[in-house]
Structure formats: structure tokens, C-alpha cells
Amino acid sequence: MNNRKKELENNIEICSQKLVRAEKLISGLGGEKDRWTEAARLLGIRYTDLTGDVLLSSGTVAYLGAFTVDYRLECQKQWQVLCKEKHIPCSNDFSLSNTLGDPVKIRAWQIAGLPIDSFSIDNGIIVSNSRRWALMIDPQRQANKWIKNMEKANKLSVIKLSDTNYVRILENAIQFGTPVLLENIGEELDAFIEPILLKLTFKQQGVEYMRLGENIIEYSRDFKFYMTTRLRNPHYFPEVAVKVCLLNFMITPLGLQDQLLGIVAAKEKPELEEKKNKLIIESAANKKQLKEIEDKILEVLSKSEGNILEDETAIKVLSSSKELSEEISEKQEIASVTEMQIDATRMGYKPVAVHSATLFFCISDLANIEPMYQYSLIWFINLYIQSIANSKKSDDLKERIENIIEHFTVSIYNNVCRSLFEKDKLLFSLLLTIGIMKGEDKIDDEVWRFLLTGGVALDNPYLNPAPEWLTDKSWAEIVRASNLKNLHGLMDHIRENVLKWKMIYDSAKPHEEAFPGIWKTLVGLDRMIILRCLRPDKIIPATQDFITENMGRTYIEPPTFDLAGSYNDSNCCAPLIFVLSPGADPMAGEVKKKDFKLKSTISLGQGQGPIAAKMICQAIIDGTWVVLQNCHLATSWMPALEKICEEMIVPENTHEKFRLWLTSYPSEKFPVSILQNGIKMTNEPPKGVRANLLRSYLNDPVSDPAFFTSCQKQEMWQKLLFGLCFFHALVQERKNFGPLGWNIPYEFNESDLRISMRQIQMFLNEYEEIPFEALTYLTGECNYGGRVTDDKDRRLLLSLLSIVYNKDIEQEKYKLSPGDDYYIPPHGPYQSYIDYLRSLPIATHPEVFGLHENADITKDNQETNQLFSGVLLTLPRQVGGGGKSPQETVEDLARDILSKLPNDFNLEAVMKKYPVLYEESMNTVLRQELIRFNRWGGLFSLTLQKLNGAKMFVFMISTSFRQLQAFYNKLLLQMLFESRFKIT
């Protein structure tokens, strides 16, 4: 409470000084008083509102630093309402910057790198006014950059807790009063810095001291302490949070847009951007000078006694100040006009900045899906600069903007996709599409939320018109969808046209069918909602169509794994990171097959860390490569690896040919800084036969012309090679069908394919006739069959292989499956095979695998649920638009459950009707179950009542309303199950 009181007193003192200064200025105006009547009135209003404004400012500084911009504004609005109710005067347009901000200081902060948006400015004000040292949540390193530039002239020391000499640096800074920035802290703080955080000082003989560990050192009041963390969503315990000023420094869309606009303007119009930067600095200097003049005038006015016109010194000071002020004002006016002209030219490129900022926030949300999906702002800006340089030039501004946007979007898609697992590539494409369309105001948030969740309700009062084919779940979603603006009347139309809608339900490709009646004109998300209700298994192809219509086919065809491309994008200081999945072994065939300078490979584990560190130290000097495998097994050594990457692997100390390769399964302990600065890759089998075949043909060894044409029997070699790649795609894709595909899931990989290719090549070169039996045995029993443990699976494997390894393959356009899509293409050059593969359908029909057309329903439903669940993880906590907020949804759901809870059973009546007798032992069980049932009911009622009253709590847990519903539904089912007896 003492800290809060001190903060409040400090803020009131700042505002009081401003008010006194303004009052003195008004009193010294003399004959011009009439001219300033309106100004005086406004100042009077500000004076009246000062109490409430300072109260709101103090609350914001003390409590709201850690929250997002939306939550801060929400709290401030609620506090304003409370002030009005308590008759505390406050401004209707309250803002922290108007109350506690100093325009001159704010401009200096912005020159030092603070983003220009109001959220970032408020953060700067909180840092400068808080009594506690700031701990800034800074994943994009915006605060880090700002602090370093701002305190550079004050001899800033930058330290980390992992530094060996950080204690000595801190002690020196405290003694000499220099600022310190503590970077990259985790969720726990070193106990050594606790006296600094709590400012535990004491005075001895008039000198202020602080005890740090065993040392007592002199404490300088000029000392400043800043802390930053790269963690996106850290969880600090209360004992940490009360010692620091937690501050959310996540970048905002407006702040990022301004940065990106500055970059594109600097690249496209460098002379204008340079001129604008000079004007900003000049403007800041002018405003600072005006502020000094103002302070000087106020000082003269406050010291003057009697009639000011008789004070010769005061008149001289005022006259000279007036001349200087007018001169500066004229300069400022000219600069303002020039700046407006420059801004008009800059703003022509604003669409590029807005679009690019949208892409960044689509990417930043991916970390909620997998901890390895981390991307830094520096990496993003480097790609942005490359796209500006490499995109097609044009003198027409509109065309040039379109070229930059198109090039950068494709570049982001390709670079991010190579680091995503297959399950998340379509999800990322959908997020990009929706994000861009939201920026163009083409997405209704209520419709988008409904597509992902199906709405929320406990029961459905409308009778299902076709229970024989339409499930109750689907009908309930249709009823809820009818409340949406564009789908009003859908429920009635389906009830009146059941047979027409059944045709859509029974269709093999419902996403391509025209809907009955007026619904045939539906497009986009509205159409996908109907498809979700009737045939959720076809959401994936519908999503692909939606992305193709709005973004292009490029965004549903992820690039194949390209090790050479990833290597070309790397440098000596950027680690290359393989994110592993089950069965993947990139080291087996991807890195070792290249003529690379692999000096050392080590699998991390207990005791291997120091050995790995020595290898890296030597390789940095020699310019060789080091591979550290299974980093997820050495989580305790990861901080040491992070320190090596940040301090040792730096351009001035590292050989340009050095490379550090890392492999790891997804792990939350993997250092964020390495993930953000490194080049991440996944090496999973792609989804679909088409993508699998393309990967086989676009990667080594098939893509190597020497290997592709190396066999003596060229025609048969290429037919068998294509057939083997098709077989490889089949056996990998069948595992997606669960037990229908394989009784036991097997991890077939690229090494099986490569050895089988070389065996075909060897047998064709050494034998006149093709030994199909030998090839079948080696491929089916050894290479692939060596992994198979189930007899039926082995039989299936050999059956699939017999499609390829037989004499009929010599026929022209030999069919590999029913239908006309999949066959052995005619003998021709390498490019002809690539062209044929690109013409294949993206989605593979189950009959290609020898399965029934309904075999993929379960698989497709799982993929749909996985897609929607992944997207939901990336959504913000609170929605905008016209839909209900999660808080309102939870409250409605809680009230709905509460109204449906049954009354407690009358145990006395039950005991009379079913007494506990030796002959009726189950009556004892009945009594126990009813007691338990009543307890559950009481618990439900109590928690639901508390939930309805805890509005702020509901707001904080708003993202969990689906889990809440599932929890209560589960308990209700458990209650019904445990009662076991029907009692009326």
C-alpha cells in the first residue's frame, strides 16, 4: 500500500506542476486576457478533472502494464464509470499520455526506437513513472532496442544472468549511477537481484547503501535498472510480479505498420525518407527549445513581484524569448508543411505496410500451436527488405505495390511452410487468407467463429426432420446457423426440402455441388458453414477451394523439402534446425549425402554438452560443420547452447563456412532466441500421393540428371522408378487411414526408397531379363518388409508391390489404380514426369489405395477437427464485431446449465420406498448413489452461481468456455451414469 501511495503522490505532483505553470502563464498575459478566455476555460476544466485523471493514471501505471491494449482500454472505461458514480471528476477522453506524457520526451523516445502507437507510448510513460523497475515482455525485442538507444549516451551496461561477471557489472553500475539492461530472463529471477528489485537501501552517516550478497556498496540515485524477456507468454509467480513492474511490450499493428512503411519508403524513395528523418530530429530540437523558453518565462513570472511592467529584467527576458519563440515557430511551420508533403508521398506505400503487418501477426500466432514455430521480427523484416529488392519493378505506383505484396506474401508462405509440420501447412494457408481478408474487411467475425466452433448451446428445441440420415449434432448446428445473418431461414428450408438436401449429404463431392433453392448463390465462409453442418468430412477440400479462390493455387501446394535452398538462405551465425517427427531422420540421407564439410556429429544426452561445446569452438575457427542431434534430450544444456550462439557465434569471430546443425523434437525448453534466429526445417512425408511423388522426383537422387539417366535400360528403368515412387507414396499414405490402412502403423522413410532405387538400377544393369522375384523379395521382404511385424500387413505390402513389380508394367500407360488419373507416363525427359505429376489431383480418392470410397470419412473428420482446433489456438481472447464476446457466452452457458439442473432427491422418501434390507442389497447402493448425486448437484449450483457473479474472472478465462461446457457436460453424464436407478 505504501508503494501505491507513493506512486499516486508522485503522479499528482507531476500534474500539479503542470497546472501551476499554466496558471502563471495565464496570469501574465495582461491585456490579452480576452483572447485567452477559451484557453482559460479549458484549463479550468482540466484542473477540475485532474483528480480523476491522476487516479486513473496511477491505476494504469500500477496495475495495467502487463495487459493488452484492448484490456487496458476496457479497464480504463470501467474505472471512468466508477469515478462518475463516486462523483470523482475525470476527463471523458482520458489518456495516459495526455495526463503524464511530456511531448518533448515522447518525441525523444520515438527517435530512440519506441514505436509511435499510443500503446507503446503508454508503455514508455509507465517505465518512466513506475516506482518499481520494469520487466518488459518483449518477444520482438522492441523494448530492448529502445532502451539501448535511449540509454546509450548514459553508458548502458547490457547483461544476462548467464554472464559470469554480471554481479560485478551490477555493483559498479549501482555505485556510479549508470543504467543496466538485464536481457533474456526466464520465469524465475536470481535471488541475488532481490535487494535491487525491492530497493532495500539504508543510510549510514548520511550516505545511502545497499547490501548485495555479502558486499555493502554505495547506492546512487541515478542508477536505473531495466529487464526484458523474450518469452511470448511467461507465467510469473506472485512473489516475482509484486517486485517488478510487468509490462507488455508486444508490438501492435499500428507500430509495426509505421516501421514497415519507413523501410519501404527508405528503399523506394531514399531521399525523402532521409529528409523526413532529419525533419523529425529538427522538430524534436525545436520543441525542446520551445519548452525551455516556456520554462524560462514561467520562472521569470513566478519570481516577479508587483507590476511586471516595472520589472526591466523580466521585460528583457520576455522580449528576447518572444523573438526566439517566433523564430522557432516559423521554422516549425515550414518543417510541418514539408513533413506533410513527404508524408503524402510515403502514404502511397501504406497498403504494402498494412498488408505486411497483417502477415506478421498471422505468423506470430503460430507459436500457440507448436512451441517450435517461433519467428523473430528481425527475420521478418529481412525477408521484407529482400522482397522489396527482388520484386518486379514498375514506374506505376499501384502496379509496384501489387508486385511487392505478391512477392512478399509468396516469400513468407514458402519460408514459413518449410518449418511447419504437414498437419499445419493448410492451417497456415487458411490463417493467411482469413488474416488478409479481415484486413480488407471481407470477413464477418461471427461467421468465422461459428465455422470453427459450430456455436454453443445446451439443447435444441426443434425436432430433427430426418433422423435416419441427419444426426442430432448436425441438426443442432443447422438450427444455430440459422441465426446468422446470411443463413436466416436455412432450418426451415431444410425441413421443407429434406430430399434435396439428402442428395447433397449423399454426394461423393458435396463441396462441388450446387445447394438447393436460394442457397446455391452462397460463397465463402457461409457455404462452408452449411458444409460443416452436413458433411464436415469435406471441409478440407472446401478449405482448399476457398484459399484457391481468394489467394491462388500456390497457397495449397506447399514447397517440397529443399535442403540446398535452406542452406543458401543460411549464414555462419544462423543455426539450421531440423524439427523432427516420428520416423524422420534427416541426417541419414539429407546432410550426409551432400559433399559437405561435416567434421563432428554428436547425439546430445547426459554429459555430452561440454564435448559439443568444444566441437563448436574448434569448428568456428576451422570453418567446418557441427551437427548436434536430439537437442530435446539435453534441456539442461540448452541455456549453455543459447549463450554459445549469442556470444561465440558472432560474425567477427566465426569462419564464414562454419555451420551449426541442430535436430530436435518439439520442446518448450528449446531456446527461443535460437528458434527465432535460426532456419527451421521439417522433413515429413507430404500429404497426398501427388505431393509424395513430387517430393520423390524433386529431391535427390532422382533430381540428379546423372542418376536419372544412369541405367542402360532407360525405358524400363524410368517405368520401374516411377512405379516404385508410387508404391512408396501408397504405403506412406495408407497409415492416415488408421487400422483400415495398416493393422500396426509403420514409419517407412526415404532410406527405404533410396536403397530400393539403387537395387533396381543394379539389377537392370547386370541382368538381361528383369528379375521381378528378386526385386520383390528385396523391396517387399527386406527394405520395406523389414519394418512390418504383422502377417496381414506383410501380405498387403506384397500385394501393393505386385502392382508395380510385374511384366505388365512394360505396357504403354500402364494403370496403377482404377480410373484414368494414375498411370506410368510415357518414356521421356525428366521434365515430362514433373509436368505429369503436377497435373494430378491434389486430393487422393480412397480407391487409389484399394479402399472403399467411404474409408476416408473418419480420416477426413479427424483432419477437420485438427484444422479447427489448431485455428482456435491462434485466435485472440476476445472477439470484435457484432458477435457475443466469450465472457457473454460463458455467462449465458452457465445460466442455461443452472436452469436445467434437477432438484435434489428426497432421501427420506427414498429410504421409505427402498429400505435397506438383507434381501435387497442394491438398495444400499441406491442410497449411496443418490447421496453422491445430490452432492454433485450442490457443487454445480454453487460454482455456477459464483461464475455468474465473477465477471472479471470470466473475462480472464474467456478462451476456455468450450472446455467449461465440456467439463459440465461430462459431470452431468457422470451423474446420470452413477444414479443407475430411475426414481420418479
Side-chain angles (χ1 to χ4, degrees), residues 12 40 83 102 114 134 253 284 293 336 349 374-375 389 398 522 610 639 647 695 708 810 859 865 885 914-915 920-921:
I12 288 175
C83 284
D102 182 343
L114 184 73
I293 292 170
S336 297
Y349 291 95
Q374 301 274 359
Y375 307 91
K398 186 176 179 181
L522 282 180
E647 297 179 4
R695 172 174 172 156
F708 189 73
E810 299 176 5
K859 172 183 78 73
N865 292 334
S885 70
Y914 300 99
E920 294 289 343
S921 58

Side-chain angles (χ1 to χ4, degrees), residues 493-746:
H493 191 274
I494 290 178
R495 279 195 295 202
E496 295 165 4
N497 301 274
V498 171
L499 293 178
K500 290 182 180 179
W501 285 100
K502 188 176 186 299
M503 292 174 65
I504 301 294
Y505 178 83
D506 290 336
S507 173
K509 297 181 178 180
H511 57 287
E512 297 177 0
E513 301 284 350
F515 290 160
I518 60 172
W519 310 105
K520 63 184 177 184
T521 58
L522 282 180
V523 292
L525 298 185
D526 294 319
R527 180 180 171 85
M528 289 174 67
I529 283 177
I530 296 181
L531 198 64
R532 174 200 165 94
C533 298
L534 295 175
R535 287 289 299 276
D537 58 302
K538 294 302 177 186
I539 283 291
I540 297 297
T543 300
Q544 292 172 335
D545 292 343
F546 175 75
I547 294 168
T548 304
E549 289 169 10
N550 292 284
M551 295 282 286
R553 190 178 174 88
T554 303
Y555 296 92
I556 60 170
E557 297 179 355
T560 56
F561 179 76
D562 181 12
L563 182 67
S566 299
Y567 170 70
N568 292 333
D569 291 341
S570 70
N571 57 62
C572 61
C573 298
L576 293 104
I577 306 161
F578 279 108
V579 186
L580 301 177
S581 56
D585 184 12
M587 294 298 118
E590 297 297 342
V591 175
K592 290 182 180 177
K593 71 185 177 189
K594 301 283 184 184
D595 187 19
F596 288 156
K597 296 185 177 181
L598 277 179
K599 178 179 178 63
S600 308
T601 302
I602 186 171
S603 183
L604 293 179
Q606 188 172 8
Q608 298 300 305
I611 301 172
K614 289 180 182 178
M615 290 180 177
I616 294 172
C617 292
Q618 189 61 42
I620 287 173
I621 300 170
D622 298 342
T624 54
W625 292 10
V626 174
V627 178
L628 305 183
Q629 294 183 300
N630 301 324
C631 293
H632 58 283
L633 299 179
T635 55
S636 61
W637 189 69
M638 287 298 100
L641 176 62
E642 183 177 24
K643 186 177 180 182
I644 289 171
C645 291
E646 289 183 350
E647 297 179 4
M648 295 178 60
I649 307 177
V650 290
E652 52 270 20
N653 298 336
T654 306
H655 195 289
E656 62 178 7
K657 292 185 178 180
F658 166 79
R659 291 295 185 278
L660 176 63
W661 297 77
L662 308 171
T663 72
S664 175
Y665 278 93
S667 170
E668 293 182 355
K669 301 294 184 181
F670 200 94
V672 173
S673 61
I674 297 178
L675 286 172
Q676 289 186 342
N677 297 325
I679 294 175
K680 299 177 286 296
M681 297 163 281
T682 58
N683 191 21
E684 277 188 308
K687 291 177 70 173
V689 170
R690 174 185 182 274
N692 218 305
L693 284 167
L694 269 173
R695 172 174 172 156
S696 297
Y697 267 76
L698 291 174
N699 286 348
D700 282 340
V702 182
S703 61
D704 183 2
F707 179 82
F708 189 73
T709 58
S710 60
C711 187
Q712 298 171 7
K713 302 182 179 68
Q714 271 295 303
E715 186 170 352
M716 279 307 299
W717 156 241
Q718 292 183 12
K719 285 180 181 290
L720 285 170
L721 179 63
F722 187 92
L724 177 64
C725 291
F726 181 79
F727 164 76
H728 179 73
L730 286 187
V731 297
Q732 285 197 318
E733 284 295 302
R734 280 187 72 101
K735 69 181 180 182
N736 294 329
F737 291 89
L740 292 177
W742 301 103
N743 289 335
I744 300 170
Y746 305 104

Side-chain angles (χ1 to χ4, degrees), residues 97 486 656 759 841:
S97 56
N486 293 339
E656 62 178 7
Q759 286 170 350

Side-chain angles (χ1 to χ4, degrees), residues 856-875:
D856 60 353
I857 291 178
T858 302
K859 172 183 78 73
D860 290 345
N861 277 327
Q862 288 176 349
E863 289 181 353
T864 298
N865 292 334
Q866 191 177 58
L867 174 69
F868 288 159
S869 299
V871 173
L872 284 169
L873 290 173
T874 68
L875 293 185

